[in-house]
């Protein structure tokens, strides 16, 4: 009998736990440790942030589902990692602290045979002075509560605009090394459409601010993609959309401070500038959770497990951008020191960024960190679960399931406006996620045809269909496992 | 030079009948690309 502990119940943790439970007999224990009581379908936060979907529609409570499916659930947060146990506990364990209920504040040693760290990122708002969701007129859509607040702020502004107020709206990244430009891109287009729906668009000046060197970088070094019968750069595609929607843009901007309605930033020229706003949605930087790890003698071994995020089978050798290869990226998400620990999704430490690193004339690094969206998070979680299942069933380590982001496709169905007949979406797929300049030297490291873009109403329908399909899947309803990650 | 979206392109983008077929096409294409498999990038050690 084996005990598998999954830390986190986001897309990655929930996918891993559900596949483990489906494929392993009840003799084996699956335990999920998460401080969140609800599962949330994060991609739909965009629509919560424009008031078109209630946050209750994108979440559901985990405890009752896990009870029904025989998954042990502990609403607790991980405190420290003890992969060798300690003087009292022979088995490896994670020290967890309960965050709700009668046991709130109590700590427990949660032992395991296999550990899946799917804790995702810490939303590091503190890294940007004054960037705190809901204050200084700046908001976030990173969680459903943030998105609810964002809608309250936006709605209040819309009501003022209906009385004739002119407004400046700033949307993009709130740190020099933030990622998730895609979410901000979706939000700016949705906000723009909502302003038109409320007949106040002509009173708004909307500006995109981003640490990207070019539009359409998305933290993926941009893309060359098929668009209809044309081949187009993602920068050209996004520029076309922004021009069409009358959205201005500021690029190469490392936002470093937010005051009431003012964003301070440094650009790649080394200039320090400000941009005023009446409403802003700025994505914070992501960081690891700052976990500590200890060996059986209670010596600090954090550097064997963490490099900000968790160390896995990537090549972390520092090298210049020109020498980066897809082989640097992990395949099995296994920690090289403790082979029974895995970190799929956003929890693993990437070997380097995907976008070309750039510094301002003052030496400030201003470029996007690598994004890892829901799709690769789900795929990597499933392959980790499959390797653990095989290892348990064969009674020896099995790592036959592999999934490097350098050999994996991803789809980004970016909402560009809500509405069954008036909605729009920008559907972009990319293969591979990490550009392979050896395999595809003439097409910016990606395979044309499999890397394509489409704009239109169908994109909105597709995003809506995915919303319902993935919530159905997450609720583990009949045949949920037929829906791919 | 920035390419703006023409009226004809916009008509095609927002026409529900055309977009219905586009929806089927996109769903299949996304499924093929994403569920079409993934793997490692390194030679066997």
């Amino acid at each position: 009998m084996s005990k598998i502990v999954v830390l986190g119940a986001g897309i990655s943790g929930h996918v891993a736990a559900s596949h483990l439970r489906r494929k392993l007999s009840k003799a084996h224990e699956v335990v999920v440790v998460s401080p969140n009581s609800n599962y949330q379908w994060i991609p739909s936060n965009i629509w919560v942030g424009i008031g078109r979907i209630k946050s209750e529609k994108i979440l559901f409570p985990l405890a009752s589902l896990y009870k029904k499916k025989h998954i042990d659930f502990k609403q607790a947060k991980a405190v420290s990692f003890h992969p060798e146990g300690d003087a009292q506990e022979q088995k490896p364990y994670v020290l967890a602290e309960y965050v709700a209920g009668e046991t709130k504040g109590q700590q427990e040693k949660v032992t395991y045979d296999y550990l899946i760290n799917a804790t995702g990122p810490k939303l590091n708002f503190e890294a940007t002075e004054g960037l705190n969701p809901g204050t200084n007129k700046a908001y976030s859509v990173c969680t459903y509560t943030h998105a609810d607040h964002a809608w309250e702020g936006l709605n209040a502004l819309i009501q003022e605009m209906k009385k004739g107020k002119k407004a400046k709206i700033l949307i993009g990244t709130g740190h020099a090394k933030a990622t998730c430009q895609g979410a901000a891109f979706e939000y700016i287009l949705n906000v723009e459409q909502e302003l038109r729906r409320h007949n106040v668009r002509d009173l708004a000046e909307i500006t995109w601010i981003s640490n990207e060197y070019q539009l359409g970088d998305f933290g993926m070094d941009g893309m060359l993609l098929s668009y209809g019968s044309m081949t187009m750069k993602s920068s050209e595609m996004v520029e076309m959309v922004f021009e069409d929607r009358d959205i201005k843009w500021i690029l190469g901007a490392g936002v470093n401070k937010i005051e009431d309605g003012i964003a301070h930033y440094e650009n790649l020229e080394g200039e320090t500038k400000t941009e005023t706003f009446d409403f802003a949605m700025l994505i914070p930087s992501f960081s690891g959770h700052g976990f500590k790890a200890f060996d059986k003698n209670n010596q600090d071994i954090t550097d064997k497990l963490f490099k900000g995020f968790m160390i896995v089978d990537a090549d972390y050798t520092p090298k210049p951008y020109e020498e980066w290869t897809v082989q640097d990226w992990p395949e099995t998400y296994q920690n090289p020191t403790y082979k029974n620990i895995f970190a799929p999704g956003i929890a693993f430490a990437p070997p380097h960024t995907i976008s070309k690193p750039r510094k301002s004339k003052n030496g400030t690094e201003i470029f996007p960190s690598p994004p890892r969206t829901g799709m690769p998070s789900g795929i990597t979680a499933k392959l980790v679960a499959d390797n653990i299942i095989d290892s348990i069933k064969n009674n020896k380590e099995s790592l036959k399931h592999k999934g490097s982001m350098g050999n994996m496709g991803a789809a980004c169905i970016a909402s560009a406006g809500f509405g069954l007949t008036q909605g729009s979406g920008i559907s972009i797929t990319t293969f591979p996620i990490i550009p392979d300049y050896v395999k595809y030297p003439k097409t910016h490291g990606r395979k044309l045809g499999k890397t394509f873009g489409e704009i239109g109403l169908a994109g909105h329908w597709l995003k809506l269909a995915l919303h319902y399909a993935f919530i159905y899947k997450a609720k583990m309803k009949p045949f949920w496992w037929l829906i791919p990650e | 030079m920035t390419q703006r979206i023409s009226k004809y392109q916009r008509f095609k983008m927002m026409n529900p009948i055309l977009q219905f077929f586009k929806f089927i096409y996109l769903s299949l294409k996304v499924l093929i690309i994403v569920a079409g498999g993934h793997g490692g990038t390194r030679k066997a050690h």
Side-chain angles (χ1 to χ4, degrees):
Chain A
M1 176 191 148
S2 295
K3 180 178 179 183
I4 306 106
V5 171
V6 182
L7 300 179
I11 291 176
S12 194
H14 187 67
V15 163
S18 49
H19 281 286
L20 285 163
R21 187 68 288 165
R22 187 176 82 85
K23 292 179 182 172
L24 286 175
S25 74
K26 301 290 183 293
H28 304 286
E29 211 178 331
V30 179
V31 181
V32 173
V33 178
S34 171
N36 301 318
S37 59
N38 293 317
Y39 176 87
Q40 59 170 324
W41 179 243
I42 291 172
S44 297
N45 278 344
I46 300 300
W47 293 333
V48 176
I50 54 160
R52 298 301 293 270
I53 277 192
K54 295 281 180 205
S55 51
E56 301 86 67
K57 298 282 182 193
I58 68 161
L59 60 86
F60 60 84
L62 287 165
S64 49
L65 175 71
Y66 283 164
K67 190 177 179 189
K68 192 171 147 193
K69 298 291 177 183
H70 305 285
I71 295 170
D72 191 9
F73 178 55
K74 296 176 190 294
Q75 196 182 342
K77 62 178 181 183
V79 176
S80 55
F81 289 62
H82 302 261
E84 299 172 5
D86 61 19
Q88 290 81 40
E89 177 57 65
Q90 295 295 304
K91 290 191 78 174
Y93 71 87
V94 170
L95 187 65
E97 182 179 310
Y98 286 90
V99 297
E102 290 173 1
T103 50
K104 186 177 177 180
Q106 287 180 20
Q107 294 193 334
E108 181 186 337
K109 293 177 178 177
V110 184
T111 59
Y112 61 82
D113 295 299
Y114 294 93
L115 178 68
I116 299 178
N117 173 20
T119 45
K122 177 189 169 194
L123 301 173
N124 196 12
F125 289 101
E126 305 92 74
T128 306
E129 188 185 337
L131 183 64
N132 186 23
T135 59
N136 292 330
K137 301 192 184 87
Y139 298 86
S140 149
V141 290
C142 294
T143 68
Y144 59 86
T145 47
H146 291 171
D148 274 333
H149 290 150
W151 168 236
E152 282 172 23
L154 182 63
N155 190 32
L157 183 64
I158 290 172
Q159 299 315 315
E160 286 183 58
M161 291 169 80
K162 283 182 175 173
K163 293 174 189 162
K165 178 186 166 78
K166 288 193 173 180
K168 289 180 81 175
I169 291 173
L170 186 69
I171 294 173
T173 53
H175 188 268
K177 293 179 80 175
T179 182
C180 235
Q181 286 76 12
F185 175 65
E186 286 189 81
Y187 194 60
I188 199 169
L189 297 178
N190 273 272
V191 167
E192 195 275 336
Q193 171 148 326
E194 284 308 297
L195 295 181
R196 272 190 282 134
R197 198 169 71 90
H198 288 278
N199 297 317
V200 292
R201 175 64 184 93
D202 52 351
L203 292 171
E205 181 184 313
I206 305 180
T207 305
W208 170 256
I209 188 164
S210 171
N211 54 3
E212 300 160 295
Y213 178 66
Q214 280 191 315
L215 288 174
D217 181 285
F218 295 132
M220 296 172 67
D221 222 13
M223 280 157 272
L224 188 69
L225 39 82
S226 309
Y227 177 71
S229 56
M230 294 185 288
T231 301
M232 188 183 251
K233 289 180 185 171
S234 53
S235 57
E236 294 166 337
M237 188 183 197
V238 173
E239 191 174 329
M240 178 177 81
V241 173
F242 279 4
E243 283 276 342
D244 188 63
R245 300 280 193 103
D246 194 19
I247 294 171
K248 298 178 170 61
W249 58 87
I250 300 167
L251 296 172
V255 173
N256 48 38
K257 186 178 175 184
I258 301 293
E259 291 178 314
D260 189 25
I262 307 169
H264 297 260
Y265 67 95
E266 179 185 342
N267 65 18
L268 285 166
E269 292 301 311
E271 301 163 319
T272 51
K273 294 190 164 190
T274 57
E275 186 69 23
T276 58
F277 58 84
D278 298 286
F279 174 90
M281 197 295 289
L282 299 168
I283 303 280
S285 70
F286 290 177
S287 71
H289 292 269
F291 294 126
K292 290 278 183 193
F294 300 93
D295 69 7
K296 61 185 169 192
N297 300 316
N298 216 26
Q299 296 296 307
D300 192 316
I301 52 162
T302 304
D303 59 353
K304 286 187 178 175
L305 255 72
F306 297 102
K307 198 179 167 64
F309 292 95
M310 183 165 260
I311 295 169
V312 294
D313 60 318
D315 181 355
Y316 294 106
T317 314
K319 46 190 167 186
Y321 171 78
E322 292 71 23
E323 293 174 23
W324 292 354
T325 68
V326 285
Q327 285 77 25
D328 300 339
W329 289 78
E331 294 181 330
T332 62
Y333 307 89
Q334 183 188 44
N335 179 263
T337 310
Y338 298 99
K339 308 274 187 189
N340 58 345
I341 301 180
F342 299 82
I346 305 180
F348 77 86
H352 41 68
T353 58
I354 305 172
S355 297
K356 186 174 182 174
R358 287 181 168 86
K359 282 185 181 176
S360 76
K361 289 182 177 170
N362 303 322
T364 310
E365 292 186 321
I366 304 175
F367 54 90
S369 295
R372 279 156 287 174
T373 60
M375 202 164 276
S377 292
I379 291 171
T380 55
K382 182 170 185 283
L383 75 90
V384 163
D386 283 337
N387 280 333
I388 291 174
I389 292 161
D390 287 352
S391 299
I392 291 170
K393 287 185 175 171
N394 301 331
N395 212 19
K396 63 173 185 179
E397 185 186 73
S398 172
L399 295 171
K400 75 173 185 188
H401 299 277
K402 292 179 178 177
S404 164
M405 284 165 61
N407 186 7
M408 182 190 296
C412 173
I413 314 299
S415 173
F418 191 93
L420 268 183
T421 56
Q422 297 301 310
S424 182
I426 301 177
S427 315
I428 297 175
T429 65
T430 176
F431 184 92
I433 299 167
I434 310 295
D436 188 338
Y437 293 103
V438 176
K439 231 175 185 175
Y440 311 107
K442 295 190 174 168
T443 49
H444 204 73
R446 300 214 172 77
K447 187 170 185 174
L448 277 183
K450 280 189 166 185
T451 303
F452 77 94
E454 282 287 343
I455 306 173
L457 183 56
H460 173 69
W461 292 343
L462 190 54
K463 181 150 176 117
L464 205 56
L466 292 176
H467 164 91
Y468 289 115
F470 281 110
I471 288 178
Y472 181 93
K473 180 182 170 77
K475 286 182 175 173
M476 299 170 76
K477 291 196 170 181
F479 304 106
W480 63 267
W481 40 271
L482 288 175
I483 300 171
E485 273 44 63
Chain B
M1 187 182 143
T2 299
Q3 179 170 1
R4 282 177 179 270
I5 299 169
S6 69
K7 278 188 177 175
Y8 177 60
Q9 275 181 311
R10 196 183 311 280
F11 165 77
K12 286 198 293 183
M13 283 174 186
M14 301 309 289
N15 181 295
I17 297 164
L18 291 175
Q19 290 296 311
F20 174 74
F21 292 105
K22 184 70 89 181
F23 172 73
I24 306 287
Y25 167 76
L26 277 176
S27 304
L28 291 173
K29 190 151 183 177
V30 167
L31 195 69
I32 288 164
I33 291 168
V34 176
H38 49 266
T41 54
R42 302 169 194 155
K43 300 249 186 278
H45 298 291

